[in-house]
Amino acid sequence: MDVSKAIASRRSVRNFLDAPVSNEIIGKLLSQACRAPSGGNIQPWRVFILNGSSMTNFLRHIEEHSEPESPEYAIYPPSLKDPYRSSRYKCGEDMYALLDIAREDKVARYAHLDRNFIFFDAPAAIFIYVDRIMGPPQWSDLGMFLQNFMLLAKQEGLDTCAQESWASRPFTVASYINPPPELMLFCGCAIGYGNEEARVNQLVTEREPLENWATFL
Ligand SMILES: Cc1cc2nc3c(=O)[nH]c(=O)nc-3n(C[C@H](O)[C@H](O)[C@H](O)COP(=O)(O)O)c2cc1C
């Protein structure tokens, strides 16, 4: 699969088949993904993998610890302005339309959002952490690593969904993973074989046209 095809075919998948993914494959993808560039080659990503029994035990842990907690970082700016706000809104509305969930049906909307916290039934996942001393440049390096991982997964026939929603449960996640205290959670990423029958997986998000965000000087 060439890079263009991997980029064009990758989507965030939010419903997975009950089919396992081996640690060997995940290890291979991670080893390849770490060829991502990073400023000064400091390679700031720190990764924890859930699969098989560690996934089962983690999901039990999450179920048993539902206390509210504060995110370790602001996932979005406090008052997101346009055009970013509209873009975010449209993506959510398109997803709920596919799922036939009305705007006023808050229960169904929250239930769908809650599926984040079972990794959308994916059999495996990674958590990406970063040292607290790192700043925006190193966080952007994490994005390059994550994108490499998701494209390589696509090439392997696997699907993914990056999940910053886990940043709203940092202490519950940490109490299972037990990471060194200097690390903070950036995001999770569900991994598995996407269920093509699931309506939620039919979502194709839009992109702004080039002239809206690129300026040729
Ligand atoms: C860092 C990052 C975090 C994300 N977090 C979530 C999340 O918590 N839950 C979710 O359903 N999707 C999440 N997404 C997926 C985005 O909603 C998705 O990438 C965007 O809508 C574009 O759709 P596409 O990935 O299908 O192209 C995340 C994506 C990224 C890159």
Side-chain angles (χ1 to χ4, degrees):
M1 181 181 281
D2 69 22
V3 181
S4 302
K5 186 148 187 240
I7 291 173
S9 61
R10 184 215 55 81
R11 291 198 195 128
S12 295
V13 161
R14 298 181 177 90
N15 190 305
F16 290 88
L17 297 174
D18 183 15
V21 181
S22 72
N23 269 346
E24 287 66 35
I25 290 181
I26 297 172
K28 182 179 95 172
L29 298 178
L30 290 170
S31 306
Q32 293 175 311
C34 78
R35 294 305 308 177
S38 58
N41 197 27
I42 64 172
Q43 307 162 63
W45 40 83
R46 296 290 179 269
V47 180
F48 296 83
I49 299 105
L50 295 173
N51 199 5
S53 59
S54 61
M55 174 61 96
T56 309
N57 294 337
F58 175 77
L59 293 178
R60 193 174 308 129
H61 176 82
I62 286 292
E63 210 180 334
E64 286 165 5
H65 296 85
S66 55
E67 327 59 74
E69 54 188 289
S70 304
E72 280 205 286
Y73 66 90
I75 293 173
Y76 295 104
S79 42
L80 200 57
K81 61 184 179 183
D82 269 334
Y84 315 109
R85 186 175 171 276
S86 306
S87 198
R88 185 181 173 206
Y89 179 84
K90 172 105 181 42
C91 158
E93 288 309 311
D94 287 351
M95 186 157 67
Y96 291 124
L98 261 179
L99 294 169
D100 273 333
I101 300 177
R103 211 148 179 242
E104 51 284 357
D105 193 349
K106 301 286 179 224
V107 174
R109 287 192 171 208
Y110 281 123
H112 176 71
L113 283 179
D114 257 2
R115 285 183 44 75
N116 270 288
F117 301 108
I118 53 167
F119 286 110
F120 304 109
D121 288 323
I126 57 172
F127 280 117
I128 302 180
Y129 279 77
V130 64
D131 198 301
R132 291 169 198 281
I133 62 167
M134 302 299 177
Q138 292 76 42
W139 280 63
S140 84
D141 298 338
L142 301 183
M144 299 197 208
F145 172 83
L146 175 62
Q147 173 72 337
N148 266 5
F149 181 79
M150 295 193 293
L151 294 180
L152 288 159
K154 195 72 230 170
Q155 179 179 256
E156 194 69 41
L158 285 164
D159 295 292
T160 53
C161 185
Q163 294 182 269
E164 59 206 356
S165 46
W166 283 108
S168 67
R169 308 291 311 276
F171 302 107
T172 309
V173 173
S175 62
Y176 180 84
I177 287 186
N178 214 9
E182 67 272 19
L183 294 187
M184 70 181 278
L185 178 59
F186 162 43
C187 73
C189 183
I191 309 162
Y193 297 93
N195 176 3
E196 287 177 15
E197 308 288 306
R199 288 178 75 173
V200 71
N201 289 343
Q202 286 160 21
L203 179 66
V204 181
T205 51
E206 295 177 358
R207 294 297 185 270
E208 292 270 326
L210 183 71
E211 59 271 22
N212 285 9
W213 48 267
T215 309
F216 289 89
L217 300 173

